Amino acid sequence: KAGVTQTPRYLIKTRGQQVTLSCSPISGHRSVSWYQQTPGQGLQFLFEYFSETQRNKGNFPGRFSGRQFSNSRSEMNVSTLELGDSALYLCASSSVGAGIDAGELFFGEGSRLTVL
Amino acid sequence: AQKVTQAQTEISVVEKEDVTLDCVYETRDTTYYLFWYKQPPSGELVFLIRRNSFDEQNEISGRYSWNFQKSTSSFNFTITASQVVDSAVYFCALESNYQLIWGAGTKLIIKP
C-alpha cells in the first residue's frame, strides 16, 4: 500500500512569509503527527491529530498550526517565517496514534523548508 | 520529566564488527512505549522496533537485537556483523501523551 506522502519535498521561502505543508497518511490511518527536525534541536514534536481532533501539541509558538481533514489528510502552517524555522518537517501516520496503545508510526520523507 | 539520552553522537566501525547503540530514558509513567528508528540519508524514518514497558524480554530480529532493562532505564540496540548498509542515524524514542520524545540520535558509520 502507498506510504505517507508529503508535499512539497523542498521549498524556499523568505522571512515573514507563510508556508503550508501537506501530509497524506496511509489509507485507513486516522492519526497524523508532525515533527520538526533541525541539526541543533533534533527531532521535536509539533502536534498530533486523530479523527480531526488535535490531541496534543508540542512547545512551539502559535505561528505553527495544523489541521486534519475528514479524509485524514493533514496540513501544517507556519506564519511569519523566521530563519530558525528552516528544518525538515516530518509527518507520521498511525492506525491508532501514539498513545497508551501506541502503534507503529510510518513516516514520510519530509518537507525540507529553507527560510532566507 | 520525560527524556531520552543517546550519549553516543557518532560511532564508526569496520564492516562485520558488532556494535551497540545505547539509549537511556527517564519517565514517571508506569506504562510507556519505547521505539527505535533508523534514518538513512534519504531522510525517511524507518521503524525498527516498539517495546512496551511490561515486556522486558530481549528481542532478536536477524542481525538486530534489543536489550530492555527497566532497572537501569535502558533500551540498547545491537547490530551483529554490521554491514555498510547499516550506516544511518539511529534514534531511540519514548512515547508519552500522544507524542514521541526523541533522543539526539547516534550516527553509525560502517566502513567497508
Side-chain angles (χ1 to χ4, degrees), chain A residues 38-114:
Chain A
T38 61
Q41 299 298 317
L43 279 155
Q44 293 185 289
F45 171 76
L46 281 157
F47 23 66
E48 191 258 356
Y49 290 88
F50 185 84
S51 295
E52 301 180 68
T53 299
Q54 186 182 87
R55 295 198 292 190
N56 196 9
K57 188 177 190 300
N59 295 323
F60 279 82
R63 300 185 297 108
F64 292 81
S65 63
R67 59 178 175 170
Q68 186 179 33
F69 302 96
S70 58
N71 62 358
S72 293
R73 189 177 71 84
S74 177
E75 289 181 348
M76 67 163 282
N77 183 274
V78 188
S79 62
T80 319
L81 284 166
E82 300 177 0
L83 295 178
D85 297 333
S86 294
L88 178 66
Y89 290 88
L90 291 161
C91 165
S93 80
S94 169
S95 60
V96 295
I100 203 64
D101 56 347
E104 177 182 345
L105 292 182
F106 295 84
F107 283 84
E109 291 183 302
S111 293
R112 187 166 294 281
L113 170 65
T114 301

Side-chain angles (χ1 to χ4, degrees), chain A residues 3-58:
Chain A
V4 178
T5 304
Q6 290 188 246
T7 57
R9 290 291 314 282
Y10 303 91
L11 65 166
I12 300 174
K13 293 285 188 178
T14 56
R15 278 179 296 174
Q17 287 187 310
Q18 74 164 15
V19 65
T20 299
L21 308 178
S22 178
C23 172
S24 293
I26 291 172
S27 177
H29 284 191
R30 295 163 64 188
S31 168
V32 173
S33 50
W34 289 88
Y35 292 85
Q36 181 197 63
Q37 186 176 26
T38 61
Q41 299 298 317
L43 279 155
Q44 293 185 289
F45 171 76
L46 281 157
F47 23 66
E48 191 258 356
Y49 290 88
F50 185 84
S51 295
E52 301 180 68
T53 299
Q54 186 182 87
R55 295 198 292 190
N56 196 9
K57 188 177 190 300

Side-chain angles (χ1 to χ4, degrees), chain A residues 9 35 37 43-45 48 55-57 88 90 98-109, chain B residues 31-33 35 37 39 42-47 50 91 95-104:
Chain A
R9 290 291 314 282
Y35 292 85
Q37 186 176 26
L43 279 155
Q44 293 185 289
F45 171 76
E48 191 258 356
R55 295 198 292 190
N56 196 9
K57 188 177 190 300
L88 178 66
L90 291 161
I100 203 64
D101 56 347
E104 177 182 345
L105 292 182
F106 295 84
F107 283 84
E109 291 183 302
Chain B
T31 302
Y32 51 89
Y33 286 83
F35 297 76
Y37 277 85
Q39 187 176 41
S42 61
E44 182 178 351
L45 284 159
V46 178
F47 170 86
R50 174 186 56 144
F91 291 94
E95 178 277 328
S96 174
N97 197 24
Y98 306 120
Q99 65 171 294
L100 288 184
I101 298 162
W102 300 84

Side-chain angles (χ1 to χ4, degrees), chain B residues 24-39:
Chain B
V24 174
Y25 63 93
E26 296 175 29
T27 181
R28 286 172 293 190
D29 294 341
T30 54
T31 302
Y32 51 89
Y33 286 83
L34 295 164
F35 297 76
W36 274 95
Y37 277 85
K38 172 182 179 180
Q39 187 176 41

